[in-house]
Amino acid sequence: MRAKLGLHVNLVILEKAANVSYSHFEDPEFMNQMTQARREASSRPLNLANSALSLVRQIITLIGYVGLLWALGAWAVLVIVVTAIPPFIAEARHGRRVYRLQRARTQRNRQLFYLEMLLTTEQTVKEIKLFALARWLIDRYRDVHLGYQSEEMVVARSRARAAFLLGLLSTLALYGTYAFIVGKTVVGAITLAA
């Protein structure tokens, strides 16, 4: 499915590229969009389909949990829903942030590809060596990558902090529910089998 979908999307992109005027290829914004489309063509559509199927599976699982917890009372369902919403919001926020970060990197990704090509292609390496540009180009390449690492660390720290705090909240809610059930069982309000 990935190969078929990737081929289809790439063919659509190539058809569009073949039908636009040359002036578009001199427009950096157009080239950024073209690069993003080509980069995402083989994976993004399938990831979307997989995410949709995963969402359906998780909704079915949630409905099952709600049915089981309803026997304990509406409060148990409320606890599960309330503890599930913050992680969902945090992940959605993090996903948007990562997506914006990747889109913002398109121009720099094109620069990296260009620098790699200059340093590794037979047609350009003569001039690079003749004018002693290799060190400057390599330093520029490293600086862009170090910028990427710095950006990724900010996002990773933020995500880790949110995951820890929300995980702690979920754990407390889960064990609080267990304690409540054990307490009800001890006083005989519910049976051990229930």
Side-chain angles (χ1 to χ4, degrees), residues 21 31 42 54-56 64 77 109 132 146 153 163 172 177-178 192:
S21 67
M31 290 307 296
S42 61
S54 176
L55 180 63
V56 169
V77 174
N109 284 336
L146 290 174
M153 286 300 295
L172 290 173
T177 303
Y178 282 158
L192 188 57

Side-chain angles (χ1 to χ4, degrees), residues 1-189:
M1 186 173 168
R2 180 183 305 270
K4 285 182 179 182
L5 195 54
L7 174 62
H8 173 72
V9 173
N10 276 319
L11 287 174
V12 169
I13 292 169
L14 294 174
E15 288 289 336
K16 294 288 184 188
N19 291 318
V20 297
S21 67
Y22 179 76
S23 62
H24 283 87
F25 289 90
E26 294 176 338
D27 178 14
E29 184 58 34
F30 175 81
M31 290 307 296
N32 287 346
Q33 291 174 350
M34 177 75 75
T35 301
Q36 289 167 354
R38 288 176 45 223
R39 182 183 64 224
E40 303 291 336
S42 61
S43 62
R44 184 70 66 173
L46 187 60
N47 288 346
L48 183 61
N50 286 336
S51 294
L53 291 174
S54 176
L55 180 63
V56 169
R57 186 179 70 238
Q58 290 172 0
I59 287 172
I60 291 169
T61 302
L62 183 62
I63 290 169
Y65 281 140
V66 167
L68 289 172
L69 291 174
W70 196 260
L72 294 173
W75 68 269
V77 174
L78 184 64
V79 166
I80 293 296
V81 170
V82 166
T83 58
I85 291 172
F88 173 77
I89 292 170
E91 276 302 310
R93 194 173 128 237
H94 173 73
R96 278 192 306 273
R97 196 169 172 189
V98 168
Y99 177 74
R100 280 189 297 242
L101 184 64
Q102 288 175 344
R103 281 190 61 92
R105 288 181 172 178
T106 302
Q107 180 72 26
R108 290 182 289 167
N109 284 336
R110 288 178 49 224
Q111 289 174 357
L112 288 176
F113 178 74
Y114 180 68
L115 291 170
E116 287 174 5
M117 188 227 20
L118 288 176
L119 289 162
T120 61
T121 305
E122 182 182 351
Q123 293 88 350
T124 57
V125 79
K126 287 183 239 176
E127 287 84 7
I128 300 299
K129 290 187 180 294
L130 179 66
F131 296 111
L133 295 172
R135 178 54 32 212
W136 183 80
L137 293 171
I138 290 169
D139 288 345
R140 176 72 184 126
Y141 186 86
R142 182 178 40 258
D143 290 345
V144 172
H145 269 286
L146 290 174
Y148 281 2
Q149 289 175 1
S150 175
E151 293 168 351
E152 288 169 359
M153 286 300 295
V154 168
V155 172
R157 283 186 184 123
S158 171
R159 184 178 192 183
R161 235 183 343 266
F164 173 75
L165 293 174
L166 295 172
L168 183 62
L169 173 69
S170 294
T171 301
L172 290 173
L174 176 67
Y175 286 109
T177 303
Y178 282 158
F180 180 80
I181 292 169
V182 168
K184 288 284 201 176
T185 304
V186 168
V187 297

